[in-house]
Amino acid sequence: MEKELIINSTPTEVEIALLEDKKLTELHTQKTNSKFSVGDIFLGKIRKLIPGLNAAFVEIGYDKDAFLHYTDLGPKLRSLIKFTNGSISGGITTHKLDNFKFEQEIIKTGKIDQVLDKRQPILVQILKEPISTKGPRLSCEMTIPGRYTVLTPFSNVVAVSKKVSNPEERKRLQRLIESIRPKNFGVIVRTAAEGKGVAELHEEMTMLLNKWEQIHQQLHKATAPKKLLSELDKTSSILRDILTDNFNKIIVNDKELHQGIKTYLGSIEPNMVKIVNYHSSNKPVFDTFGITKQIKSSFGKTATMNSGAYLVIEQTEAMFVIDVNSGQRVSNNSDQEHNALAVNLESAKEIARQLRLRDIGGIIIIDFIDVKRQENKKLIYQKMKEHMETDRAQHTILPLSKFGLMQITRQRVRPAVKFNTAETCPSCNGKGKLIAPSSLLTDKITRELDLIMSNQALAGKLKLEVHEYVHAYLKRGIPSLQMRWFMKYKKWFNITSNSGFSYLEYRFFDENNDEIRF
């Protein structure tokens, strides 16, 4: 499978698109000012204990207190608290746990108010980003991830990824890690470690242990809330988690980010640095690689497949519901059972893609077209499991019920990705959103152009980016409006189209490609 990573960087966010065989399968967005990401480690402070929920609310600096459930405390909670308090007071002077004496484990069926006290400091890690009206969800089971391994303090367990299927390789990795892991630190061996030697794994282990040392050092005399360790930025964490030999291209449109990715890859996978390319064209990178068009066709209430069949995807407060429809699908086969099976199998592949693309989590109910034969129901279930194998999120799939419904639960760590793909129609007679008269658009652009040209600091090389229809209009006729601007200002303005813009959207950029805002 051919994989490409296309990265679109703007002043406010970074968009990352993963293409598999030219098909958009994952889309990630990270705000550049985001302060709370999955994996971040904080020194928090217990604000409130809720025995009814068997949970606590913890202050970590977010607008709303974070949520910590008893089941996320981990059996080594008392040892973690002992290490935290000792590091803060200065009683524990080393990050190493060789001589650290473990405290008694907490029981699985215990109560939150029996193990935690109000206002006490506690070491926590973000398990889920803020979703809807909820604050972040936390865990006290610390994990420090690398490319090949994950370090877990206060544990002695070595676990190898189930995706490493060769029994001999599993035993080799188990023995190797046991020989190099620090005392009282557990290790989870990731799939990427398959075939790696002791030198590479030991080097990463040392790097992860250094991160734990940083946490220990920052704890000294610290007051909550305080961030102690930041997860990698979204781009680097995705590269760390999904980069394989199947990747043949990484395209990025920002010079600084381009260099940063090359530096990061140089440290984890030097032979992959050559696949990183800088997109220098004036045309938006998502337009160049057809991602904007795929977003338009993939998001929204319906998702249409090549055959003409389509999915209807609805979100309720409790779950997502997906309805499979044959639509305009044309088939020469008159057997209704055969046609229904064909649509369902095609839909299973598209549903697996949509779950990854939209990052849909929680409970998902799929209403497949009814099939009567039991072997066909089993086939749909098996194909759904196969298509979901590449999904990195934890998930559970149940067979079709007697009503033809399939239930899926999928791990939710951040809000589902949403894009408004509908464009406001300028001729809907007031049935849609009210907009400014389109005939005044060029007047508005000209006024802003006058304002820019009156400012000597901004009056350099300018670029105007508009919707493709407006782009055609500005270049239409002799002389075109673009030419008239040239004659008026004695300066040529580059006008480019962006199919991702709404009809009346436009933006000005200066010679450094920074957006000029009003």
Side-chain angles (χ1 to χ4, degrees), residues 22-265:
K22 305 295 182 182
K23 191 91 169 176
L24 182 63
T25 54
E26 290 186 24
L27 191 62
H28 301 268
T29 303
Q30 182 184 36
K31 300 291 184 184
T32 53
N33 60 352
S34 177
K35 297 180 181 178
F36 300 90
S37 299
V38 172
D40 288 352
I41 294 177
F42 287 81
L43 176 65
K45 182 177 11 178
I46 304 293
R47 286 287 297 273
K48 191 183 297 183
L49 298 173
I50 313 292
L53 296 175
N54 206 16
F57 285 99
V58 183
E59 181 185 359
I60 62 170
Y62 187 66
D63 296 342
K64 294 190 176 182
D65 289 339
F67 183 78
L68 177 62
H69 194 268
Y70 186 90
T71 54
D72 295 318
L73 295 177
K76 303 292 186 182
L77 175 70
R78 291 192 178 100
S79 298
L80 178 72
I81 293 174
K82 176 183 175 181
F83 179 84
T84 303
N85 292 337
S87 299
I88 293 172
S89 65
I92 295 178
T93 58
T94 177
H95 66 288
K96 296 180 180 179
L97 303 178
D98 299 28
N99 300 315
F100 183 82
K101 185 179 178 181
F102 282 2
E103 297 296 307
Q104 184 180 3
E105 294 186 0
I106 64 172
I107 59 174
K108 291 183 179 179
T109 55
K111 299 297 180 183
I112 196 85
D113 52 0
Q114 294 173 347
V115 294
L116 292 178
D117 298 318
K118 190 176 178 182
R119 305 200 71 77
Q120 81 174 88
I122 187 166
L123 200 61
V124 291
Q125 187 168 28
I126 294 185
L127 198 62
K128 294 183 180 180
E129 288 181 9
I131 297 175
S132 185
T133 59
K134 302 174 183 176
R137 181 158 182 170
L138 305 176
S139 170
C140 286
E141 296 188 273
M142 300 292 110
T143 59
I144 305 175
R147 172 144 170 74
Y148 306 124
T149 57
V150 179
L151 196 65
T152 57
F154 311 105
S155 170
N156 284 295
V157 176
V158 175
V160 181
S161 168
K162 293 179 181 178
K163 292 184 180 179
V164 180
S165 54
N166 187 310
E168 292 300 318
E169 178 63 9
R170 292 179 66 87
K171 288 180 183 177
R172 184 189 76 86
L173 289 170
Q174 185 95 23
R175 288 196 300 269
L176 195 157
I177 295 298
E178 284 285 6
S179 68
I180 63 173
R181 74 175 178 88
K183 187 178 179 182
N184 290 331
F185 284 87
V187 178
I188 301 169
V189 184
R190 308 182 78 167
T191 312
E194 194 168 5
K196 300 300 178 183
V198 65
E200 292 170 287
L201 297 178
H202 187 267
E203 183 182 358
E204 182 176 87
M205 193 80 64
T206 303
M207 181 267 290
L208 297 180
L209 196 60
N210 287 340
K211 288 188 176 182
W212 178 249
E213 183 178 13
Q214 292 172 26
I215 293 172
H216 170 259
Q217 290 172 350
Q218 290 186 78
L219 278 173
H220 185 54
K221 295 184 179 179
T223 55
K226 181 180 181 181
K227 181 186 282 191
L228 303 175
L229 182 69
S230 287
E231 172 62 299
L232 294 168
D233 62 81
K234 181 76 74 176
T235 308
S236 299
S237 62
I238 288 173
L239 286 172
R240 180 194 65 199
D241 294 343
I242 69 174
L243 189 67
T244 65
D245 294 337
N246 293 333
F247 270 86
N248 70 324
K249 194 182 292 181
I250 299 174
I251 308 293
V252 59
N253 69 337
D254 180 86
K255 285 185 177 180
E256 187 176 338
L257 188 55
H258 169 257
Q259 188 57 48
I261 291 172
K262 291 182 71 172
T263 302
Y264 177 70
L265 281 181

Side-chain angles (χ1 to χ4, degrees), residues 278-290:
Y278 173 62
H279 178 78
S280 57
S281 170
N282 287 330
K283 188 176 182 181
V285 65
F286 273 17
D287 283 5
T288 302
F289 292 90

Side-chain angles (χ1 to χ4, degrees), residues 67 187-188 295 343 395 400 412 429 434 444 465:
F67 183 78
V187 178
I188 301 169
I295 290 173
V343 172
H395 56 270
L400 285 168
R412 178 167 57 187
N429 298 320
L434 295 176
K444 186 178 179 184
E465 196 168 329

